[in-house]
Amino acid sequence: MGRFTTRPTLQGTFGMVSSTHWLASSAAMAILEDGGNAFDAAVSAAFALHVVEPHLNGPAGEVPIILAPAGKAPQVLCGQGPAPAGATIEHYTGLGLELVPGTGPLAAAVPGAFDAWMLLLRDHGTKRLSDVLAHAIWYAEHGHPVLEDVQSTLSWMQHLFETEWTTSAALYLPGGKPPAPGQLLKNPVLAQTWRRLISEAEVASADRETQIDVARRVWREGFIAEALTAAAARPTMDTSGERHIGTLTGDDLANYTAAYENPTTYTWNGWTIAKPGLWSQGAVFLQQLAMLPQHLDHGTADYYHTLIEGSKLAMADREAWYGDGTDMTAEALLSPSYNAARRALIGQDASRLLRPGSPDGRSPRVSTHAVSTVPEQLPAGVGEPTVAATGATRGDTCHLDVVDRWGNMISATPSGGWLQSNPVVPELGFPLGTRLQMAWLEPGLPNSLAPGRRPRTTLSPSLALRDGEPVLAFGTPGGDQQDQWSLHFFLEVALRENVRGGMDLQGAIDAPNWHQDSFPGSFYPRSMNPGAVTMESRIDAGVLTELRKRGHRITVGDPWSEGRMCAVARDPESGVLSAAADPRAMQGYATGR
């Protein structure tokens, strides 16, 4: 018998979808019902998410994807665009900047998400461009009910929109104010953008794959590219308090293509977990697994302490060794000898130090900005979405997972291009992204800003295999918290009992969650909070007391505040499919049959 849960773990044999918005899940399911496969469905859900979660992602953002076509090995499809050719450290420091701004065109990488979704559709899907864009066009044209979080974000942004980002005000402040929760919000310009894209593709060819390649070319070189580069060239107020133009050019767009690569993997207790490479933070998940002791007494203070301290060590390694410019290997970071040494650093008391390791005997180096400071010295509002007159706000992310009756499975974490990242491009109906804020303006680091180099991303979908067969796809929004929340979910699946003969996905999602902040944040202003741990109030009070005795600075959060997990699963023997979604935030939903 499984745990009592907020919702049932769905089970069936036809297809399963989980995403961070019920409308995106419904769009994906409609594609499955129309004969499409998991990859068609994922693309439809992704474009729907651009419309219904505009505060969390947009077409000019980025996405890492892990896909497992039936009978084939998992692949990573990287939709993280690089820094433009003009994005040098010297250019930014010459403007008097110490950090890449958190908003505005200076923070815009080459948009990567659109091309990644198109490659996925062309190479692994079966549907036409018009099919997968239909639901996004519908919601943009006819409107969708506004989420409370969208209304809150727009309220934070209202002054900036009215005074500086007026193209955003025209779209997101209908009648001069943020729409109320439940009020229909339309984006007719976005609908028109996709209709024009489809029209140009269909005029060029009747062939499905050729149409998709034409759409990719229009994005890179046609009317969309022209509008994006014009937007990057407009002086725009950003978090520095000044107006800057960006570095993105037409050549940057024309020269970019998303690309496939092998995942980084680690095997633990019969599970093999596949993650994106060291240009992402995905290996943090794997390092945390590699540092676990042989025995875990689930739910005790020792259990939480071990996970917290292991997370600190993995995130410290992220700072020293992860990035598109690294010459470190995942094999070195995940080697038994290295992780035995790292595991030995986990003592009885909480550490407040940033302690990167020395794999292969090499000395770590982190940014001079990554300084341990006590909480009282941190900038106001760090760790919470805040908006100043310059629009200083933390964006967030979406997630989606799909599995179909043929055994195709996919996990993706779309993000960037938020409504609070840049002004809306008036000709297109969506803004540029801000992923360059994750790169350092300090040379010689794995994550230093450099032309053509991908900024290290927090986006981190997961796929798990048993005996070489993909069985579980999962992930969550949450920036730096993603590979913490996802690990806790996974351990709840792996260490607890099953339900109805399958994995207890909903029980694992519903279990109390937490995160720690003893590392430099990936988002502007890049602060860290040594010793800080935020835990949901549903965690046993005795556990909290014991953790405080060990030196952890515990903040007790709301009972349902940590995570926005999604998950789907497949039993290779029976063919039974499962799905679940997080009740937190009251918008994620799973569907299937």
Side-chain angles (χ1 to χ4, degrees), residues 13-138:
T13 56
F14 180 82
M16 290 284 165
V17 181
S18 181
S19 86
T20 48
H21 197 293
W22 61 86
L23 291 180
S25 295
S26 297
M29 196 65 204
I31 292 290
L32 292 178
E33 294 285 4
D34 195 44
N37 65 19
F39 310 120
D40 299 312
V43 177
S44 182
F47 281 86
L49 285 170
H50 296 157
V51 181
V52 300
E53 291 192 326
H55 61 315
L56 305 180
N57 77 139
E62 45 275 329
V63 61
I65 300 167
I66 301 182
L67 62 145
K72 298 181 180 179
Q75 288 182 296
V76 170
L77 177 51
C78 176
Q80 173 58 66
T88 64
I89 289 176
E90 294 75 19
H91 176 70
Y92 286 71
T93 56
L95 296 171
L97 299 171
E98 295 182 358
L99 294 172
V100 176
T103 60
L106 270 181
V110 180
F114 180 86
D115 199 60
W117 290 120
M118 290 299 100
L119 268 185
L120 178 71
L121 182 65
R122 186 195 71 183
D123 297 344
H124 299 280
T126 65
K127 291 292 188 179
R128 291 183 174 271
L129 185 64
S130 57
D131 297 327
V132 298
L133 289 178
H135 299 96
I137 292 172
W138 171 270

